[in-house]
Amino acid sequence: MANPPGTLVTPELLEDVSTSTGDDLEARVTVYNCNCHTYQQVIQLFCEAIPGMNPKRAFELAWQIDHQGSAVVYSGERKTAEGIANHLAAGGLRVAMQ
C-alpha cells in the first residue's frame, strides 16, 4: 500500500519466515538502509544492542549498510537476535530477523 506524498512512515520490525531447523539456536539480524539516521546514531544503537560490538566494527557495518543497502549485524541465538532486532527497530532502524 502506497503512502500519500510527504507522509512520514515509521520503520518497523520485519519478521521473515524462519529457515532454521526449529531448534531456536540460530538466527540472523539484518539492518537495511533508510537514509534517516546519522552514522553516529547507528553506531550508538549497534553498541547498545549487539553483544561484543565496538565502535570500529559498528562503523564498518554502518558503512556497509549505507553503501550496499543492508548488512547482517548479528548471527547467533534466536532469543538474543530477537532482543537485538527489537532494540534496533525501537531506535527507528529497518530490521529483519531470519
Side-chain angles (χ1 to χ4, degrees), residues 31 37-51 53 58 84 86-95:
V31 175
H37 293 84
T38 65
Y39 271 61
Q40 189 57 44
Q41 290 169 325
V42 173
I43 290 166
Q44 181 176 343
L45 282 168
F46 286 177
C47 288
E48 290 171 359
I50 304 168
M53 184 59 60
I84 292 167
N86 287 331
H87 186 94
L88 297 177
L93 299 181
R94 288 185 52 221
V95 179

Side-chain angles (χ1 to χ4, degrees), residues 29-79:
V29 177
T30 303
V31 175
Y32 296 91
N33 190 18
C34 64
N35 292 321
C36 54
H37 293 84
T38 65
Y39 271 61
Q40 189 57 44
Q41 290 169 325
V42 173
I43 290 166
Q44 181 176 343
L45 282 168
F46 286 177
C47 288
E48 290 171 359
I50 304 168
M53 184 59 60
N54 61 59
K56 181 180 185 287
R57 178 65 179 139
F59 174 81
E60 292 168 351
L61 290 168
W63 189 94
Q64 181 180 348
I65 293 163
D66 188 31
H67 290 85
Q68 298 177 3
S70 68
V72 174
V73 299
Y74 176 81
S75 292
E77 183 180 74
R78 179 165 292 280
K79 186 173 273 191

Side-chain angles (χ1 to χ4, degrees), residues 14-29 76-79 81-82 96-98:
L14 307 171
E15 179 127 11
D16 290 340
V17 176
S18 175
T19 56
S20 72
T21 59
D23 56 14
D24 289 337
L25 296 178
E26 186 69 25
R28 289 185 313 196
V29 177
E77 183 180 74
R78 179 165 292 280
K79 186 173 273 191
E82 287 172 353
M97 192 181 93
Q98 295 179 306

